[in-house]
Amino acid sequence: MKVYIRKAFIYIASILVAMIVLLILFLITTKKKIEPEAFDPPNNSGLVGAWAINDKLEKAESILEGRLIGPEAIAVDKEGNLFTGTRQGWVVKIFPDGRMKNITNTGGRPLGMKVHPDGNLIVCDAIKGLLSIDEKGKTEVLSTVSSSDSIPFKFTDDLDITMDGDIYFTDASYKFGVDEYLFDLLEGKPYGRLLKYDSYTKLTTTVLKDLYFANGVAISSDEDFILINETYRYRIRKYHLKGTKVGKSEIFIDNLPGFPDNITSNRKGEFHLALFTVRNSMMDALQPFPSIIGQYSKLPKFLWTKPKPYGLVATLGEKGEIIRTYHDPTGKVMKGITSAIESDGFLYFGFLYEEKIGRLKLE
C-alpha cells in the first residue's frame, strides 16, 4: 500500500511541476498586454460604521427575470415607464404593467441612459458613442469624439442631463473598451474623462480628464455640482458647475469599501450609489507592484481573482454623508449591482451580468 501511495504522490508531484514549468514558460513568452502603474490603495476600513452590514437587499424582488440580459442601467420617464439596455444591444421600454417593448438595437452595448427634456432617450453606448433615440426607435449619433482633444470615445459609460438639456457623460477609458475593462483596473492609469455635450452648439468638450475609470455621473438638486465615480480609486469626485469654485474639482468621498459603479440623483438632495462588489484584498495587495501586476494580466482570465458575490447600495447626502446603506451579504438575492434609481417609492437596480431588474420598496 505504501508503494502505491508513494507512486501516486510522485505522479501528482510530477504533474504539478510540469504545470508550473509550463506556466513560467507561458508568462515568459507571452507579450505584456498592459504597462501597469503602482498604486498604493488606502487602507480598507471595511463594512463598519455607516457601512455596517444589514440584510435590506434580501427583501428586494426580482422582476422580468430571464427576460433581460445585463440591464446595466435604468432610466425613468414622467409616466413611470422604465428603460434599459441589454448585452445584445437592445434598448427596451418597460411599461408599469410589466409589458416590454424593444425600441431599437444600437448594434453596440447600451449602458447609462436618461430621458432628455425634449422627450428623447439619451444613451451612452460603450461602442457607438452618445446616442439620442426617439419613441419610434430612430437613432441619432450625437457624439463620438471630444472637440477639445480629438480623442475618440472608447468606452462611453454613464450620463446625467441638466434642465437646459446639456448632457454630462463619461468616457470610462479612452484606451480599453467594454470587453477589456479589467485591464484598465490592472494598468491603473487615468484614461477616463468627464465630457459635456452642449445641446445648443452640438459640440462635445472635455470637462475633466485624467480620471481613473470615470463611471457614474449625477447632478445635484440645484445643478451647482456634478459627481463622477472613479471606480478603480474607490472614490467619488465633485466638479463645481456654479459658485466661487466653478470649474474646479475635489474629492467628494474617498476610500469606499467597494467598487462604485453608477450613481443617480433623485433631485431632492440624495444620491443613490451602486457598488458592484466589495473591495478585493488580493487586488489591494498586488496594486503597489507593477511588475507582478504585469505578469498577472497575462494569465487566462479564468485564473484571475473573482469578485465576491455581494449586493451593496448606498444613499448619500449632498455633503458626502452616508444616509443609509442596503446590503445582501450573501449575494443570493441581489449581487453585482451596477445602478440604482429611485421612482415612485421604489429603488430599481440594474446589473451587468444578471438577467433581471431588482426592485425594493423604500421605507
Side-chain angles (χ1 to χ4, degrees):
M1 180 63 72
K2 290 182 179 180
V3 174
Y4 288 116
I5 293 174
R6 189 180 300 112
K7 287 183 177 180
F9 177 79
I10 293 172
Y11 177 72
I12 293 171
S14 300
I15 292 176
L16 290 174
V17 170
M19 290 176 66
I20 292 170
V21 171
L22 288 173
L23 179 60
I24 293 172
L25 289 173
F26 175 80
L27 294 176
I28 291 173
T29 58
T30 301
K31 184 179 179 181
K32 282 198 300 183
K33 297 181 180 179
I34 60 173
E35 295 294 335
E37 186 173 275
F39 168 54
D40 192 9
N43 182 51
N44 181 12
S45 300
L47 299 171
V48 297
W51 292 97
I53 296 172
N54 58 58
D55 61 359
K56 292 179 181 179
L57 282 180
E58 293 180 2
K59 301 176 179 65
E61 60 178 321
S62 299
I63 61 175
L64 304 171
E65 198 160 5
R67 299 174 64 188
L68 296 165
I69 300 177
E72 196 265 351
I74 299 166
V76 185
D77 67 13
K78 294 179 181 179
E79 286 73 43
N81 301 302
L82 305 182
F83 300 85
T84 191
T86 71
R87 199 180 308 159
Q88 306 100 318
W90 288 105
V91 174
V92 181
K93 182 176 183 178
I94 304 159
F95 298 91
D97 62 8
R99 288 181 298 119
M100 285 175 46
K101 175 185 177 182
N102 288 336
I103 299 176
T104 190
N105 193 300
T106 66
R109 179 49 165 118
L111 297 174
M113 55 185 64
K114 193 172 181 67
V115 178
H116 195 275
D118 68 9
N120 282 3
L121 185 68
I122 308 300
V123 176
C124 280
D125 188 293
I127 298 168
K128 299 295 184 178
L130 187 68
L131 312 178
S132 177
I133 304 172
D134 69 15
E135 59 181 8
K136 294 183 179 179
K138 182 180 178 181
T139 302
E140 177 188 0
V141 179
L142 298 180
S143 184
T144 59
V145 64
S146 169
S147 60
S148 298
D149 49 32
S150 301
I151 300 175
F153 312 152
K154 185 75 172 182
F155 195 153
T156 328
D157 197 320
D158 196 29
L159 77 157
D160 203 352
I161 306 174
T162 67
M163 289 184 288
D164 291 335
D166 291 334
I167 304 165
Y168 287 88
F169 65 105
T170 51
D171 182 24
S173 172
Y174 62 76
K175 180 176 181 179
F176 297 102
V178 66
D179 296 324
E180 305 172 310
Y181 67 93
L182 290 175
F183 287 119
D184 194 281
L185 163 64
L186 295 176
E187 186 152 305
K189 293 179 180 177
Y191 297 122
R193 295 174 289 171
L194 172 68
L195 305 125
K196 176 186 177 183
Y197 176 83
D198 190 296
S199 61
Y200 179 74
T201 65
K202 313 299 182 186
L203 291 176
T204 299
T205 53
T206 300
V207 177
L208 273 179
K209 60 181 182 178
D210 297 333
L211 300 174
Y212 292 89
F213 202 82
N215 205 326
V217 179
I219 298 172
S220 66
S221 56
D222 292 333
E223 298 194 346
D224 55 344
F225 68 86
I226 186 168
L227 298 181
I228 312 99
N229 289 347
E230 290 187 275
T231 300
Y232 298 149
R233 284 296 186 262
Y234 317 117
R235 69 189 182 195
I236 303 173
R237 185 170 290 276
K238 177 180 181 179
Y239 178 81
H240 294 271
L241 299 174
K242 298 177 183 177
T244 57
K245 293 184 178 180
V246 63
K248 296 181 179 180
S249 73
E250 61 198 41
I251 301 302
F252 181 71
I253 186 170
D254 202 2
N255 198 15
L256 292 165
F259 293 85
D261 205 299
N262 287 349
I263 186 169
T264 61
S265 170
N266 65 7
R267 297 303 176 96
K268 295 181 290 187
E270 293 181 341
F271 298 99
H272 299 299
L273 172 69
L275 296 101
F276 181 75
T277 187
V278 292
R279 295 264 292 269
N280 186 301
S281 58
M282 179 177 175
M283 289 310 306
D284 279 358
L286 290 179
Q287 284 179 314
F289 306 101
S291 58
I292 297 177
I293 286 284
Q295 297 302 320
Y296 178 85
S297 70
K298 297 179 184 179
L299 295 172
K301 287 187 179 180
F302 72 87
L303 293 177
W304 290 13
T305 181
K306 299 297 185 293
K308 182 178 180 178
Y310 200 102
L312 184 55
V313 172
T315 299
L316 312 176
E318 292 196 338
K319 294 182 179 180
E321 70 275 24
I322 300 161
I323 297 172
R324 67 188 72 89
T325 61
Y326 306 84
H327 299 246
D328 179 356
T330 65
K332 291 180 179 178
V333 180
M334 297 286 143
K335 66 179 178 182
I337 300 172
T338 53
S339 61
I341 187 167
E342 182 179 336
S343 176
D344 196 26
F346 288 89
L347 274 181
Y348 289 89
F349 308 121
F351 308 88
L352 186 60
Y353 297 112
E354 300 294 298
E355 299 182 8
K356 63 184 180 183
I357 286 176
R359 181 169 67 184
L360 177 68
K361 187 171 180 60
L362 289 169
E363 297 175 357

